[in-house]
Each structure stands twice: as C-alpha cells, then as structure tokens.
Amino acid sequence: MTTSDWPLWEVFVRSRRGLSHTHAGSLHAPDAELALRNARDLYTRRGEGVSIWVVPSAAVTASSPDEKDPFFEPAADKPYRHPTFYEIPEGVKHL
Amino acid sequence: MATAAQRITRTPAGDGPADKTAAAAAYEAAFDAAVAADERIEPRDWMPDAYRATLVRQIAQHAHSEIIGMQPEANWITRAPSLRRKAILMAKVQDEAGHGLYLYSAAETLGTSRDELLDKLHSGRQKYSSIFNYPTLTWADVGAIGWLVDGAAITNQVPLCRCSYGPYARAMVRICKEESFHQRQGYELLLALSRGTPEQHEMAQDAVNRWWWPSLMMFGPPDDESQHSAQSMTWKIKRHSNDELRQRFVDICVPQAETLGLTLPDPDLRWNQEREHHDFGEIDWSEFREVLKGNGPCNEQRITQRRRAHDEGAWVREAAAAYAEKHAAKGKEAAA
C-alpha cells in the first residue's frame, strides 16, 4: 500500500479568534485525526492558527469554471442591490 | 491547492469536428486573455497541454529540490555547536520538508499524483537542483547554504509569487515568507564565525569560496542557452530572465559579504559605474553540465538516501492506512 491510498484533505485555518477559517492548502493523510496533526505540522509551524478544519477533498462540490458567466449572471444586472445605486440629496445625514 | 473535485482535466467539448475546433480556439483565446490581463489560471480552467507539462516539470523539480535539500543540512544536526544552533537547524530542515509538501500539492492540482512524482525522482526521470549535489564539509557550510543558496532561491522565488498559475503562486508566497528566516540564520552563523577565532574565520571563508559559484549556477544557463525561458516568460510562469536574476543576486551579495568581512572568490568582480551593476567572472558551465548529468560529488549519495528513506518509511504508511481502514470499518459496524 502506498500513500496514493491516503485520501486528500483540504485544510482550513482560523488565524485568530474572531476571524473565519480560511483555506490554507491540502495534504494527504490516512484518516481525519492524522490529517489534523499533519495540518498542524504543515500549516501552523509559526503560530498561524488557533483552530483547524480538515475536510475530505472528495466531499467538496465546486461550481464549474465553464459556467462561470451564466452561473453568476443573476447578480450582474442588479445594481440596485448596492447602496451607491440610490441618489440622496446632499446634506442628509446618517444615511 | 485545489480540491479533488477541481482536479479534472478539461478538454473542449462539442458535437462535430468543426465545433471542436471552434471550441478549442475559444478556450485558447480565453486562456491567452487571462494571462495577458495578469489574471491567475486556476486548476479547473482550460490550459494548453504544454503549459500544464511545463508547470508539472518545474513544480516537481522545485518540490524535489526542497526534499533533497534536507540532506546536506541534516548532515550537521547532530554536530551543531550549541543547542540554539541545533534547534534552528532542525526548524529549517523541517521547513524544507514543508516546502516540498506545499509544492507537491500544487503539482497535484495539475492532474498528477505525489506518488507518481516521487517515483520519477527515485528513478531519475525528474531532476532536482544541482546545488544539492555538493557536500557540506564543515559547520560553516550550513551558514553558506543559508546565506547564498537560500539567498539565490529567494531571488528566484520572489517573482514566482506572481506566477500565472494560482496554486504555484500561492505556495510560493508561503515559502518566501519562511525562506527569509533561512537566509538570516545563515548570515548570522557566518558572521559569528567570521568574527570568531582565525580558524573559524578561515572556515567561513572556505565555505563561501566553495558555495559562491554553484550558487550563481542556480539561476540556470545563460539566457541565450536557456531552452524553456522564452515560452515560460510569455506564459508569465517566469517574470525575469536567468541572467537578470543572477545579476540582481550578485549586486545584493557584494555589500553583504563586506559586512561579513569575507571575500567572494572572483578576481573579476567589480562595480561597473556605467551599467550600475557589478561585473563578474565567467561561470564554469562545464562543471554545471557535469553535475546535471549526474557526475557531481554527491548525486549518487543523495538519491540513494532518498530511496532508502522512502523504503524504510513504508511500514509507517502501511500501518497508518491499516489503522484508518480498521477504524472506518468499526464506525460502519456501530452505525449499522
């Protein structure tokens, strides 16, 4: 048995309390527990994190780059979702 | 470092041959436009086969260099002159392992596996940087490697942080942050020796004499002989030419050597006011080619040790996989 039998994991690190976990990279490990330990050694050697998530890469569903334009298109023609869309008379405060 | 779901090699799809050609052209145009606009290419984007192959070759060689590079320095861990130096050296060698892993991950996003890459390293089908085929004869070599070898690596790697391939660029950002410690510890080590006893000073000078020229060779052959350079520049994998980076490195090192109180072993090295750069002597490219061919002082030793470490670690990988399998089965039983 070689390492190719070890699944791939995606690693997310919370750099400090109050911030969300951010994708740091990936690694191979035989199970979740070792994935966590490997992630600690690989991605937090200089105190880069206070919390780690590991997720099997196979469990991630991603949108397709080919459908990028149609997939995100519904948001493209709705400028009224942004506050800058609205004209407010000068001098109006707290708005 | 994308997910497995993102590691699909995409080919243009269409109904007929005409469609296919049109679709392929559209994909290629989108790729060219993204590169021209300085956008990053990500794993699931369409990319030319040659771009993918170039990246795999370069990232693999880079990853192998990090892993093989652990050996010359690890050679001195048990003989470090103080606990402080020993702790520093262990941290550095561990970093090199980490850098190798970041880079293998980046290569894997291109549809190759780490096992395949290791296999190619072990069978000599992929290379690592020639610099690691030189021996570390004295403790001062640890300092010279940190200052010169890691210094040259940083000069090469900083522009790679803006490489057109996203996962490679991101790995390089992480690596460059960590390399800075490597270079500074080496410089500090050499400074301590240089300001020490006459014997220590001489040891530092000897190490610099041996590592200077091989470090200059790390930038690769001169521009007019570099076979991959032009295409890599067009694809924005590479941002500066070999000679340009080599010149930058020489200019950086000269004043640093002065502060160290050490000389660089090149009688032709002098400031050229007109060019506003240092002129330096001819590099012995025949030596470079010999080492590349496998005839360096340590080629055989490095690869033998790598293979042995891999084989001797097999039982650990097998045991961990067996343990994971057993517990996964238990979990299923309990759920049933």
Side-chain angles (χ1 to χ4, degrees):
Chain A
M1 191 180 274
T2 59
T3 45
S4 57
D5 297 308
W6 286 10
L8 197 64
W9 302 76
E10 299 303 323
V11 179
F12 298 82
V13 175
R14 183 201 295 283
S15 57
R16 57 186 166 84
R17 299 178 72 86
L19 296 178
S20 55
H21 288 75
T22 306
H23 187 233
S26 52
L27 51 76
H28 290 276
D31 56 33
E33 197 188 329
L34 276 173
L36 267 183
R37 284 173 184 277
N38 290 355
R40 176 201 58 193
D41 291 346
L42 193 55
Y43 292 107
T44 62
R45 287 197 299 282
R46 289 174 175 76
E48 291 95 331
V50 294
S51 161
I52 299 175
W53 289 346
V54 289
V55 180
S57 304
V60 175
T61 308
S63 65
S64 157
D66 289 351
E67 295 157 15
K68 182 180 71 178
D69 294 340
F71 190 74
F72 294 106
E73 204 233 348
D77 61 350
K78 295 177 180 63
Y80 47 85
R81 284 180 169 165
H82 297 277
T84 49
F85 180 77
Y86 302 94
E87 277 179 37
I88 304 292
E90 254 177 67
V92 179
K93 286 179 183 167
H94 307 300
L95 200 67
Chain B
M1 304 183 203
T3 66
Q6 286 172 302
R7 285 188 180 116
I8 303 158
T9 307
R10 302 194 66 83
T11 45
D15 292 333
D19 275 356
K20 266 190 185 148
T21 319
Y27 276 109
E28 191 152 7
F31 171 85
D32 290 343
V35 171
D38 246 341
E39 278 179 31
R40 297 292 176 266
I41 305 299
E42 294 294 342
R44 288 185 72 197
D45 294 336
W46 183 89
M47 61 188 87
D49 290 343
Y51 176 82
R52 186 185 300 275
T54 298
L55 279 168
V56 169
R57 180 180 53 75
Q58 183 173 334
I59 300 173
Q61 171 168 344
H62 198 156
H64 298 331
S65 301
E66 300 282 357
I67 299 297
I68 296 286
M70 295 167 73
Q71 291 184 33
E73 293 183 285
N75 181 34
W76 281 94
I77 290 178
T78 55
R79 293 171 289 168
S82 68
L83 198 53
R84 175 177 184 269
R85 293 288 176 197
K86 186 173 187 157
I88 290 169
L89 190 53
M90 284 198 293
K92 180 175 192 291
V93 173
Q94 193 192 7
D95 270 358
E96 308 297 0
H99 296 177
L101 292 178
Y102 304 154
L103 288 161
Y104 285 126
S105 289
E108 282 186 289
T109 65
L110 292 158
T112 175
S113 75
R114 189 170 73 188
D115 278 354
E116 196 181 321
L117 298 176
L118 282 176
D119 190 46
K120 283 182 174 161
L121 170 65
H122 296 156
S123 59
R125 281 174 295 156
Q126 278 177 346
K127 293 196 185 325
Y128 55 88
S129 176
S130 287
I131 192 83
F132 301 116
N133 290 318
Y134 290 88
T136 39
L137 302 177
T138 69
W139 169 250
D141 288 26
V142 173
I145 288 181
W147 177 41
L148 296 172
V149 176
D150 290 310
I154 291 171
T155 309
N156 260 328
Q157 288 169 355
V158 165
L160 284 173
C161 297
R162 294 183 298 123
C163 160
S164 61
Y165 188 58
Y168 191 26
R170 291 193 285 276
M172 291 320 303
V173 169
R174 197 174 278 278
I175 289 173
C176 283
K177 272 190 205 158
E178 300 181 348
E179 288 285 355
S180 172
F181 135 61
H182 297 181
Q183 196 188 15
R184 290 174 66 116
Q185 66 82 32
Y187 193 83
E188 189 206 63
L189 193 166
L190 279 181
L191 192 65
L193 289 176
S194 178
R195 293 181 177 173
T197 65
E199 289 81 8
Q200 287 173 326
H201 179 87
E202 199 184 320
M203 185 170 41
Q205 183 63 60
D206 169 65
V208 169
N209 290 349
R210 282 181 289 109
W211 288 95
W212 173 249
W213 290 106
S215 299
L216 292 192
M217 294 177 200
M218 283 176 71
F219 295 93
D223 293 347
D224 45 10
E225 289 170 34
S226 177
Q227 50 175 342
H228 304 294
S229 277
Q231 182 61 74
S232 286
M233 300 268 272
T234 314
W235 278 330
K236 296 189 183 169
I237 294 173
K238 240 175 125 145
R239 298 276 181 168
H240 306 280
S241 79
N242 295 353
D243 287 332
E244 205 180 326
L245 292 169
R246 187 166 14 243
Q247 179 72 62
R248 187 178 295 178
F249 178 67
V250 171
D251 290 339
I252 288 171
C253 286
V254 171
Q256 291 178 346
E258 271 168 34
T259 305
L260 280 175
L262 298 173
T263 58
L264 297 171
D266 179 358
D268 298 324
L269 186 66
R270 63 178 60 87
W271 177 250
N272 182 327
Q273 186 59 48
E274 220 168 282
R275 291 201 308 125
E276 299 204 329
H277 286 295
H278 291 87
D279 289 337
F280 54 97
E282 198 65 30
I283 292 169
D284 180 4
W285 291 111
S286 61
E287 175 183 323
F288 177 74
R289 281 187 292 269
E290 276 305 302
V291 179
L292 207 61
K293 259 195 273 172
N295 303 324
C298 301
N299 295 56
E300 183 67 34
Q301 180 189 336
R302 298 290 185 240
I303 209 70
T304 304
Q305 177 147 343
R306 174 86 272 283
R307 280 198 212 112
R308 193 174 66 220
H310 190 73
D311 293 343
E312 288 177 358
W315 72 271
V316 179
R317 298 192 293 276
E318 283 161 17
Y323 178 86
E325 209 171 310
K326 190 172 137 191
H327 279 259
K330 264 195 190 160
K332 266 181 208 153
E333 260 171 49

